[in-house]
């Protein structure tokens, strides 16, 4: 499958080489290759002279191993083996550790300890819906503020929906600003006997209802957490807003990654529309794992017809036969009275020496032709799916990455992905 000439090609190398590009965000639905794409972009940018850090959310060890690192954690680690003037660092988001760092940085020692030891905080920081996406944006803000790298490549979390990355900070902010939290904060804000009176009267009603569902100890843990976090809630909202503005800034570029499948491209279309609505800079679409064929001129229909002819012991007539198909010619030296060859059997074969388990050359060739027919159907389906996307969004530049025969296990594999992202150009092509 080839890029539609009507769609503008996505030029990856100029994007990586531009010193004004400071953040690249790889986004898309789960399972489309965002992590590998982000890592390949990081390797290519570093080998073209940039000082890069890749922030990945993928817990799989294969990415660390492909970069020659034993393991990734919340601290950027330099990747060895980069063949170029730049540097590459990589890290994997530790959601809970990032949350802990925020608490430790914005609360005194005693209050920080009370928060970190609180059971409700431990649950919130480890698995509350949207926390991972929020902490990814927090970590992005921290990395950008350090000014240590001139390019940050972000692999967004493997969410069910690509939009979760943009929505999560608002959802977490809404939770922290919600009525339930404000109600729990009220006794601590009122203080003294008035607070205790409110707690005894107001909380008794809530405890009577929610306590049966959640348990009284849970509610007390939540209230203790809220009282300790009171002064920090505004900071969460402020930092989330600041990172959101950073994503809208000219130095940021979004790359939407998708597979040539209907659901993935539908998700990509939603994300493209959302980025436009939020006025966020979209660089283009990476269409990943695209299938191809070295014999694309042979259609699926012709391949199936040829397979049927071979299986029936016939060959396609290339000359002037009236029926379009003729019997295979008798080999030299054979008698005109020799019996006709059976289906799937060459005329000169010794049928006595061929075991039933041994497929004939004709059968093998027919099987390959049928595999080719199936591949051509896949290519046709992928092209239709892609054409629907480009018809809806002709303004979005597109680059295609051919499917590899296996997984990426090392820097050489990431370089190969980078070459495909850039249309086959080697990374050393930078000035």
């Amino acid at each position: 499958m080839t890029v539609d000439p009507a769609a503008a090609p996505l030029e990856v190398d100029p994007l990586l080489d531009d010193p004004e590009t400071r953040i690249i965000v790889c986004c898309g639905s789960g399972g489309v290759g965002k992590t590998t794409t982000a890592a390949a972009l990081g390797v290519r940018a570093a080998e073209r002279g940039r000082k890069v850090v890749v922030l990945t959310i993928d817990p799989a060890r294969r990415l660390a191993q492909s970069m020659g690192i034993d393991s990734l954690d919340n601290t950027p680690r330099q990747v060895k083996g980069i063949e170029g003037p730049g540097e590459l660092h990589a890290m994997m988001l530790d959601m809970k550790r990032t949350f802990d760092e925020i608490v430790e940085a914005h609360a005194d020692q005693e209050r920080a300890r009370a928060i970190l030891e609180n059971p409700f905080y431990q649950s919130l920081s480890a698995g509350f819906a949207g926390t991972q996406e929020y902490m990814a944006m927090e970590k992005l803000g921290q990395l950008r503020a350090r000014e240590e790298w001139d390019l940050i490549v972000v692999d967004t979390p493997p969410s069910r929906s690509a939009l979760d990355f943009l929505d999560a900070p608002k959802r977490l902010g809404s939770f922290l600003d919600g009525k339930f939290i404000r109600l729990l904060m009220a006794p601590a804000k009122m203080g003294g006997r008035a607070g205790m009176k409110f707690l005894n009267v107001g909380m008794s009603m809530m405890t009577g209802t929610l306590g049966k569902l959640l348990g009284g100890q849970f509610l007390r843990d939540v209230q203790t957490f809220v009282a300790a976090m009171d002064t920090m809630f505004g900071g969460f909202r402020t930092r989330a807003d600041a990172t959101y503005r950073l994503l809208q800034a000219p130095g940021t570029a979004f790359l939407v990654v998708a597979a040539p499948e209907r659901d993935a491209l539908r998700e990509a279309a939603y994300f493209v529309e959302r980025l436009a609505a939020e006025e966020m800079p979209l660089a283009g679409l990476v269409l990943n794992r695209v299938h191809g064929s070295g014999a694309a001129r042979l259609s699926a229909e012709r391949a199936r017809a040829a397979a049927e002819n071979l299986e029936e012991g016939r060959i396609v007539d290339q000359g002037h036969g009236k029926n379009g198909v003729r019997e295979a010619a008798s080999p030299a030296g054979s008698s005109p009275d020799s019996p006709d060859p059976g289906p799937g059997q060459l005329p000169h074969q010794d049928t006595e020496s061929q075991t039933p388990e041994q497929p004939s050359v004709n059968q093998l060739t027919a099987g390959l032709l049928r595999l080719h027919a199936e591949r051509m159907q896949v290519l046709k389906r992928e092209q239709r799916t892609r054409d629907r996307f480009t018809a809806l969004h002709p303004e979005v530049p597109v680059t295609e990455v051919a499917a590899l025969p296996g997984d990426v296990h090392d820097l050489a594999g990431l370089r190969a992905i980078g070459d495909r992202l850039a249309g086959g150009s080697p990374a050393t092509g930078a000035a």
Side-chain angles (χ1 to χ4, degrees), residues 170-224:
K170 292 182 179 180
R171 288 204 308 270
L172 187 61
S174 298
F175 168 75
L176 296 177
D177 291 342
K179 293 181 180 178
F180 179 64
I181 294 296
R182 290 202 304 270
L183 178 61
L184 293 175
M185 287 172 61
K189 286 183 174 293
M190 294 174 67
R193 294 182 179 179
M196 290 303 298
K197 183 178 180 181
F198 179 91
L199 179 64
N200 291 335
V201 177
M203 289 295 290
S204 62
M205 293 186 294
M206 183 174 67
T207 304
T209 303
L210 295 179
K212 294 178 182 178
L213 299 174
L214 306 176
Q217 183 60 48
F218 174 80
L219 291 177
R220 287 190 290 274
D221 290 340
V222 173
Q223 188 176 26
T224 303

Short mmCIF file of all heavy atoms in Angstrom, two decimals, residues 170-224:
data_model
loop_
_atom_site.label_atom_id
_atom_site.label_comp_id
_atom_site.label_asym_id
_atom_site.label_seq_id
_atom_site.Cartn_x
_atom_site.Cartn_y
_atom_site.Cartn_z
N LYS A 170 -8.48 17.19 33.74
CA LYS A 170 -9.73 17.86 34.09
C LYS A 170 -10.58 16.99 35.00
O LYS A 170 -11.24 17.48 35.93
CB LYS A 170 -10.51 18.22 32.82
CG LYS A 170 -9.83 19.29 31.98
CD LYS A 170 -10.67 19.64 30.76
CE LYS A 170 -10.00 20.74 29.94
NZ LYS A 170 -10.81 21.09 28.73
N ARG A 171 -10.57 15.66 34.74
CA ARG A 171 -11.36 14.76 35.58
C ARG A 171 -10.83 14.72 37.00
O ARG A 171 -11.59 14.76 37.97
CB ARG A 171 -11.35 13.35 34.99
CG ARG A 171 -12.17 13.19 33.74
CD ARG A 171 -12.60 11.74 33.54
NE ARG A 171 -11.48 10.82 33.61
CZ ARG A 171 -10.76 10.45 32.56
NH1 ARG A 171 -11.05 10.94 31.36
NH2 ARG A 171 -9.76 9.60 32.70
N LEU A 172 -9.49 14.66 37.14
CA LEU A 172 -8.91 14.64 38.48
C LEU A 172 -9.16 15.97 39.17
O LEU A 172 -9.47 16.01 40.37
CB LEU A 172 -7.41 14.35 38.41
CG LEU A 172 -6.70 14.14 39.75
CD1 LEU A 172 -7.30 12.94 40.49
CD2 LEU A 172 -5.20 13.95 39.56
N GLY A 173 -9.04 17.07 38.43
CA GLY A 173 -9.33 18.37 39.01
C GLY A 173 -10.78 18.50 39.45
O GLY A 173 -11.08 19.06 40.51
N SER A 174 -11.69 17.96 38.65
CA SER A 174 -13.11 17.99 39.02
C SER A 174 -13.36 17.19 40.28
O SER A 174 -14.16 17.56 41.14
CB SER A 174 -13.96 17.44 37.87
OG SER A 174 -13.82 18.24 36.73
N PHE A 175 -12.65 16.06 40.42
CA PHE A 175 -12.80 15.25 41.64
C PHE A 175 -12.31 16.03 42.85
O PHE A 175 -12.97 16.08 43.89
CB PHE A 175 -12.01 13.95 41.49
CG PHE A 175 -11.86 13.19 42.78
CD1 PHE A 175 -12.94 12.49 43.32
CD2 PHE A 175 -10.66 13.17 43.47
CE1 PHE A 175 -12.82 11.79 44.51
CE2 PHE A 175 -10.52 12.49 44.66
CZ PHE A 175 -11.60 11.79 45.18
N LEU A 176 -11.14 16.67 42.74
CA LEU A 176 -10.58 17.39 43.88
C LEU A 176 -11.40 18.64 44.21
O LEU A 176 -11.38 19.11 45.35
CB LEU A 176 -9.12 17.79 43.59
CG LEU A 176 -8.15 16.61 43.40
CD1 LEU A 176 -6.77 17.12 43.04
CD2 LEU A 176 -8.10 15.74 44.64
N ASP A 177 -12.11 19.18 43.23
CA ASP A 177 -12.94 20.36 43.46
C ASP A 177 -14.40 20.01 43.68
O ASP A 177 -15.24 20.90 43.81
CB ASP A 177 -12.84 21.32 42.26
CG ASP A 177 -11.45 21.95 42.17
OD1 ASP A 177 -10.72 21.92 43.17
OD2 ASP A 177 -11.11 22.46 41.09
N GLY A 178 -14.72 18.72 43.70
CA GLY A 178 -16.12 18.30 43.74
C GLY A 178 -16.79 18.52 45.07
O GLY A 178 -16.16 18.81 46.09
N LYS A 179 -18.12 18.36 45.05
CA LYS A 179 -18.91 18.59 46.26
C LYS A 179 -18.52 17.64 47.38
O LYS A 179 -18.50 18.02 48.55
CB LYS A 179 -20.41 18.43 45.93
CG LYS A 179 -20.94 19.50 44.99
CD LYS A 179 -22.43 19.29 44.71
CE LYS A 179 -22.97 20.37 43.77
NZ LYS A 179 -24.40 20.15 43.47
N PHE A 180 -18.23 16.38 47.04
CA PHE A 180 -17.89 15.40 48.06
C PHE A 180 -16.63 15.83 48.81
O PHE A 180 -16.58 15.79 50.05
CB PHE A 180 -17.68 14.03 47.39
CG PHE A 180 -17.28 12.93 48.34
CD1 PHE A 180 -18.16 12.52 49.33
CD2 PHE A 180 -16.06 12.31 48.23
CE1 PHE A 180 -17.81 11.50 50.20
CE2 PHE A 180 -15.71 11.29 49.09
CZ PHE A 180 -16.58 10.88 50.09
N ILE A 181 -15.61 16.28 48.07
CA ILE A 181 -14.37 16.71 48.71
C ILE A 181 -14.61 17.98 49.53
O ILE A 181 -14.12 18.11 50.66
CB ILE A 181 -13.27 16.95 47.65
CG1 ILE A 181 -12.91 15.62 46.97
CG2 ILE A 181 -12.05 17.60 48.26
CD1 ILE A 181 -12.28 14.61 47.92
N ARG A 182 -15.39 18.92 48.98
CA ARG A 182 -15.65 20.16 49.72
C ARG A 182 -16.41 19.88 51.02
O ARG A 182 -16.16 20.52 52.04
CB ARG A 182 -16.44 21.12 48.84
CG ARG A 182 -15.64 21.69 47.68
CD ARG A 182 -16.25 23.01 47.18
NE ARG A 182 -17.64 22.84 46.80
CZ ARG A 182 -18.05 22.51 45.58
NH1 ARG A 182 -17.15 22.29 44.64
NH2 ARG A 182 -19.33 22.39 45.30
N LEU A 183 -17.30 18.93 50.98
CA LEU A 183 -18.05 18.58 52.19
C LEU A 183 -17.11 18.01 53.24
O LEU A 183 -17.22 18.33 54.44
CB LEU A 183 -19.13 17.56 51.84
CG LEU A 183 -19.99 17.04 53.01
CD1 LEU A 183 -20.74 18.20 53.66
CD2 LEU A 183 -20.96 15.98 52.53
N LEU A 184 -16.16 17.17 52.78
CA LEU A 184 -15.22 16.59 53.73
C LEU A 184 -14.23 17.63 54.25
O LEU A 184 -13.71 17.50 55.35
CB LEU A 184 -14.45 15.45 53.07
CG LEU A 184 -15.29 14.21 52.71
CD1 LEU A 184 -14.44 13.22 51.95
CD2 LEU A 184 -15.87 13.56 53.95
N MET A 185 -13.95 18.65 53.45
CA MET A 185 -13.03 19.70 53.87
C MET A 185 -13.66 20.66 54.86
O MET A 185 -12.96 21.30 55.65
CB MET A 185 -12.55 20.50 52.65
CG MET A 185 -11.57 19.75 51.77
SD MET A 185 -11.23 20.64 50.23
CE MET A 185 -10.51 22.15 50.88
N ALA A 186 -14.99 20.77 54.88
CA ALA A 186 -15.68 21.78 55.69
C ALA A 186 -15.35 21.69 57.17
O ALA A 186 -15.05 22.72 57.80
CB ALA A 186 -17.20 21.69 55.46
N PRO A 187 -15.38 20.51 57.82
CA PRO A 187 -15.07 20.47 59.24
C PRO A 187 -13.69 20.98 59.55
O PRO A 187 -13.49 21.71 60.52
CB PRO A 187 -15.21 18.97 59.57
CG PRO A 187 -16.11 18.43 58.53
CD PRO A 187 -15.80 19.21 57.30
N ALA A 188 -12.70 20.60 58.73
CA ALA A 188 -11.34 21.06 58.98
C ALA A 188 -11.23 22.56 58.81
O ALA A 188 -10.49 23.24 59.52
CB ALA A 188 -10.38 20.35 58.03
N LYS A 189 -11.98 23.13 57.84
CA LYS A 189 -11.92 24.57 57.62
C LYS A 189 -12.59 25.34 58.75
O LYS A 189 -12.16 26.42 59.13
CB LYS A 189 -12.59 24.92 56.28
CG LYS A 189 -11.75 24.54 55.06
CD LYS A 189 -12.44 24.98 53.80
CE LYS A 189 -11.56 24.73 52.59
NZ LYS A 189 -10.36 25.58 52.58
N MET A 190 -13.70 24.79 59.29
CA MET A 190 -14.43 25.49 60.35
C MET A 190 -13.66 25.45 61.66
O MET A 190 -13.58 26.43 62.39
CB MET A 190 -15.81 24.86 60.53
CG MET A 190 -16.71 25.05 59.32
SD MET A 190 -18.27 24.17 59.45
CE MET A 190 -19.04 25.06 60.80
N GLY A 191 -13.07 24.28 61.97
CA GLY A 191 -12.23 24.17 63.15
C GLY A 191 -13.01 24.25 64.45
O GLY A 191 -14.19 24.59 64.50
N GLY A 192 -12.34 23.90 65.53
CA GLY A 192 -12.90 24.05 66.88
C GLY A 192 -14.20 23.30 67.09
O GLY A 192 -14.49 22.30 66.46
N ARG A 193 -15.00 23.83 68.03
CA ARG A 193 -16.26 23.19 68.36
C ARG A 193 -17.26 23.25 67.21
O ARG A 193 -18.06 22.34 67.03
CB ARG A 193 -16.87 23.84 69.61
CG ARG A 193 -16.03 23.61 70.85
CD ARG A 193 -16.70 24.24 72.06
NE ARG A 193 -15.92 24.00 73.28
CZ ARG A 193 -16.27 24.46 74.47
NH1 ARG A 193 -17.39 25.18 74.62
NH2 ARG A 193 -15.52 24.20 75.52
N ALA A 194 -17.21 24.37 66.48
CA ALA A 194 -18.14 24.48 65.36
C ALA A 194 -17.87 23.36 64.36
O ALA A 194 -18.79 22.75 63.81
CB ALA A 194 -17.99 25.84 64.68
N GLY A 195 -16.56 23.11 64.13
CA GLY A 195 -16.23 22.04 63.21
C GLY A 195 -16.68 20.69 63.74
O GLY A 195 -17.20 19.86 63.01
N MET A 196 -16.49 20.46 65.04
CA MET A 196 -16.90 19.18 65.60
C MET A 196 -18.41 19.04 65.57
O MET A 196 -18.93 17.95 65.31
CB MET A 196 -16.40 19.08 67.05
CG MET A 196 -14.88 18.94 67.16
SD MET A 196 -14.25 17.50 66.24
CE MET A 196 -15.09 16.19 67.12
N LYS A 197 -19.12 20.17 65.79
CA LYS A 197 -20.58 20.10 65.71
C LYS A 197 -21.03 19.76 64.31
O LYS A 197 -21.91 18.93 64.10
CB LYS A 197 -21.18 21.45 66.14
CG LYS A 197 -22.71 21.44 66.17
CD LYS A 197 -23.23 22.79 66.66
CE LYS A 197 -24.76 22.79 66.69
NZ LYS A 197 -25.28 24.09 67.14
N PHE A 198 -20.39 20.38 63.31
CA PHE A 198 -20.72 20.06 61.92
C PHE A 198 -20.43 18.60 61.65
O PHE A 198 -21.19 17.90 61.01
CB PHE A 198 -19.89 20.96 60.98
CG PHE A 198 -20.13 20.68 59.52
CD1 PHE A 198 -21.11 21.38 58.83
CD2 PHE A 198 -19.40 19.70 58.85
CE1 PHE A 198 -21.34 21.13 57.49
CE2 PHE A 198 -19.64 19.44 57.52
CZ PHE A 198 -20.60 20.16 56.83
N LEU A 199 -19.26 18.15 62.17
CA LEU A 199 -18.88 16.77 61.94
C LEU A 199 -19.90 15.82 62.55
O LEU A 199 -20.29 14.83 61.93
CB LEU A 199 -17.49 16.52 62.54
CG LEU A 199 -16.94 15.09 62.41
CD1 LEU A 199 -16.74 14.74 60.95
CD2 LEU A 199 -15.63 14.96 63.18
N ASN A 200 -20.35 16.14 63.77
CA ASN A 200 -21.29 15.24 64.43
C ASN A 200 -22.65 15.22 63.76
O ASN A 200 -23.29 14.17 63.68
CB ASN A 200 -21.46 15.66 65.90
CG ASN A 200 -20.18 15.41 66.69
OD1 ASN A 200 -19.39 14.55 66.34
ND2 ASN A 200 -19.99 16.20 67.76
N VAL A 201 -23.09 16.37 63.26
CA VAL A 201 -24.43 16.45 62.66
C VAL A 201 -24.39 16.12 61.17
O VAL A 201 -25.09 15.21 60.70
CB VAL A 201 -25.03 17.87 62.87
CG1 VAL A 201 -26.39 17.96 62.18
CG2 VAL A 201 -25.15 18.17 64.35
N GLY A 202 -23.56 16.86 60.46
CA GLY A 202 -23.53 16.68 59.01
C GLY A 202 -22.95 15.34 58.59
O GLY A 202 -23.49 14.63 57.76
N MET A 203 -21.83 14.98 59.24
CA MET A 203 -21.19 13.75 58.84
C MET A 203 -21.98 12.52 59.26
O MET A 203 -21.85 11.46 58.66
CB MET A 203 -19.77 13.67 59.43
CG MET A 203 -18.79 14.63 58.79
SD MET A 203 -18.47 14.25 57.04
CE MET A 203 -17.55 12.73 57.20
N SER A 204 -22.77 12.65 60.32
CA SER A 204 -23.54 11.49 60.77
C SER A 204 -24.51 11.04 59.69
O SER A 204 -24.72 9.83 59.49
CB SER A 204 -24.29 11.83 62.06
OG SER A 204 -25.21 12.88 61.82
N MET A 205 -25.11 12.00 58.96
CA MET A 205 -26.04 11.63 57.89
C MET A 205 -25.29 10.98 56.73
O MET A 205 -25.73 9.97 56.18
CB MET A 205 -26.79 12.88 57.41
CG MET A 205 -27.74 13.45 58.46
SD MET A 205 -28.72 14.80 57.80
CE MET A 205 -27.46 16.02 57.52
N MET A 206 -24.15 11.57 56.38
CA MET A 206 -23.39 11.00 55.27
C MET A 206 -22.83 9.64 55.65
O MET A 206 -22.84 8.70 54.85
CB MET A 206 -22.25 11.95 54.88
CG MET A 206 -21.45 11.46 53.66
SD MET A 206 -20.23 12.65 53.12
CE MET A 206 -19.14 12.61 54.52
N THR A 207 -22.35 9.53 56.90
CA THR A 207 -21.80 8.25 57.32
C THR A 207 -22.88 7.19 57.34
O THR A 207 -22.64 6.02 57.02
CB THR A 207 -21.16 8.38 58.71
OG1 THR A 207 -20.18 9.39 58.67
CG2 THR A 207 -20.54 7.07 59.16
N GLY A 208 -24.10 7.60 57.71
CA GLY A 208 -25.18 6.62 57.74
C GLY A 208 -25.46 6.03 56.38
O GLY A 208 -25.84 4.86 56.27
N THR A 209 -25.27 6.83 55.32
CA THR A 209 -25.53 6.34 53.96
C THR A 209 -24.29 5.72 53.35
O THR A 209 -24.28 4.55 52.97
CB THR A 209 -26.02 7.50 53.07
OG1 THR A 209 -27.18 8.07 53.67
CG2 THR A 209 -26.36 7.00 51.68
N LEU A 210 -23.21 6.54 53.25
CA LEU A 210 -22.00 6.05 52.61
C LEU A 210 -21.24 5.03 53.45
O LEU A 210 -20.57 4.15 52.91
CB LEU A 210 -21.06 7.22 52.28
CG LEU A 210 -21.59 8.22 51.24
CD1 LEU A 210 -20.57 9.34 51.03
CD2 LEU A 210 -21.87 7.52 49.92
N GLY A 211 -21.37 5.17 54.76
CA GLY A 211 -20.66 4.24 55.62
C GLY A 211 -21.08 2.81 55.41
O GLY A 211 -20.28 1.88 55.54
N LYS A 212 -22.37 2.61 55.09
CA LYS A 212 -22.85 1.25 54.84
C LYS A 212 -22.24 0.68 53.56
O LYS A 212 -22.03 -0.52 53.44
CB LYS A 212 -24.37 1.24 54.73
CG LYS A 212 -25.07 1.60 56.03
CD LYS A 212 -26.58 1.61 55.86
CE LYS A 212 -27.28 2.01 57.16
NZ LYS A 212 -28.76 2.07 56.99
N LEU A 213 -21.96 1.57 52.60
CA LEU A 213 -21.40 1.12 51.33
C LEU A 213 -19.88 1.05 51.37
O LEU A 213 -19.27 0.11 50.86
CB LEU A 213 -21.83 2.07 50.20
CG LEU A 213 -23.34 2.19 49.94
CD1 LEU A 213 -23.60 3.26 48.91
CD2 LEU A 213 -23.90 0.85 49.48
N LEU A 214 -19.24 2.08 51.97
CA LEU A 214 -17.80 2.18 51.92
C LEU A 214 -17.11 1.84 53.23
O LEU A 214 -15.91 1.53 53.22
CB LEU A 214 -17.40 3.61 51.50
CG LEU A 214 -18.03 4.13 50.20
CD1 LEU A 214 -17.64 5.58 49.97
CD2 LEU A 214 -17.61 3.26 49.03
N GLY A 215 -17.84 1.96 54.33
CA GLY A 215 -17.24 1.72 55.63
C GLY A 215 -16.82 3.01 56.30
O GLY A 215 -16.29 3.92 55.66
N GLY A 216 -17.04 3.08 57.61
CA GLY A 216 -16.71 4.29 58.34
C GLY A 216 -15.24 4.59 58.34
O GLY A 216 -14.83 5.76 58.30
N GLN A 217 -14.38 3.57 58.39
CA GLN A 217 -12.94 3.80 58.39
C GLN A 217 -12.49 4.44 57.09
O GLN A 217 -11.62 5.31 57.08
CB GLN A 217 -12.20 2.47 58.61
CG GLN A 217 -10.68 2.62 58.70
CD GLN A 217 -10.26 3.52 59.85
OE1 GLN A 217 -10.74 3.36 60.97
NE2 GLN A 217 -9.38 4.48 59.57
N PHE A 218 -13.09 4.02 55.97
CA PHE A 218 -12.75 4.60 54.67
C PHE A 218 -13.06 6.10 54.67
O PHE A 218 -12.25 6.91 54.23
CB PHE A 218 -13.53 3.91 53.56
CG PHE A 218 -13.35 4.54 52.20
CD1 PHE A 218 -12.23 4.28 51.44
CD2 PHE A 218 -14.30 5.42 51.70
CE1 PHE A 218 -12.06 4.87 50.21
CE2 PHE A 218 -14.13 6.02 50.47
CZ PHE A 218 -13.01 5.74 49.71
N LEU A 219 -14.23 6.47 55.20
CA LEU A 219 -14.60 7.88 55.22
C LEU A 219 -13.65 8.68 56.11
O LEU A 219 -13.28 9.81 55.78
CB LEU A 219 -16.04 8.04 55.72
CG LEU A 219 -17.13 7.52 54.76
CD1 LEU A 219 -18.50 7.67 55.41
CD2 LEU A 219 -17.08 8.25 53.45
N ARG A 220 -13.22 8.09 57.21
CA ARG A 220 -12.27 8.80 58.08
C ARG A 220 -10.92 8.96 57.39
O ARG A 220 -10.27 10.01 57.52
CB ARG A 220 -12.12 8.06 59.40
CG ARG A 220 -13.33 8.20 60.33
CD ARG A 220 -13.05 7.65 61.70
NE ARG A 220 -12.93 6.20 61.71
CZ ARG A 220 -13.97 5.38 61.83
NH1 ARG A 220 -15.20 5.87 61.96
NH2 ARG A 220 -13.80 4.06 61.83
N ASP A 221 -10.51 7.94 56.64
CA ASP A 221 -9.25 8.05 55.88
C ASP A 221 -9.34 9.14 54.83
O ASP A 221 -8.39 9.91 54.63
CB ASP A 221 -8.93 6.71 55.20
CG ASP A 221 -8.55 5.62 56.19
OD1 ASP A 221 -8.17 5.97 57.33
OD2 ASP A 221 -8.64 4.43 55.82
N VAL A 222 -10.49 9.22 54.16
CA VAL A 222 -10.67 10.25 53.14
C VAL A 222 -10.62 11.63 53.77
O VAL A 222 -9.97 12.55 53.25
CB VAL A 222 -12.01 10.05 52.40
CG1 VAL A 222 -12.28 11.22 51.46
CG2 VAL A 222 -12.00 8.75 51.61
N GLN A 223 -11.29 11.80 54.91
CA GLN A 223 -11.31 13.12 55.54
C GLN A 223 -9.92 13.52 56.03
O GLN A 223 -9.52 14.68 55.88
CB GLN A 223 -12.29 13.14 56.71
CG GLN A 223 -12.49 14.56 57.26
CD GLN A 223 -13.53 14.60 58.36
OE1 GLN A 223 -13.75 13.60 59.03
NE2 GLN A 223 -14.14 15.74 58.54
N THR A 224 -9.19 12.59 56.57
CA THR A 224 -7.82 12.88 57.00
C THR A 224 -6.96 13.28 55.81
O THR A 224 -6.17 14.24 55.88
CB THR A 224 -7.21 11.64 57.69
OG1 THR A 224 -8.03 11.26 58.78
CG2 THR A 224 -5.80 11.94 58.18
#
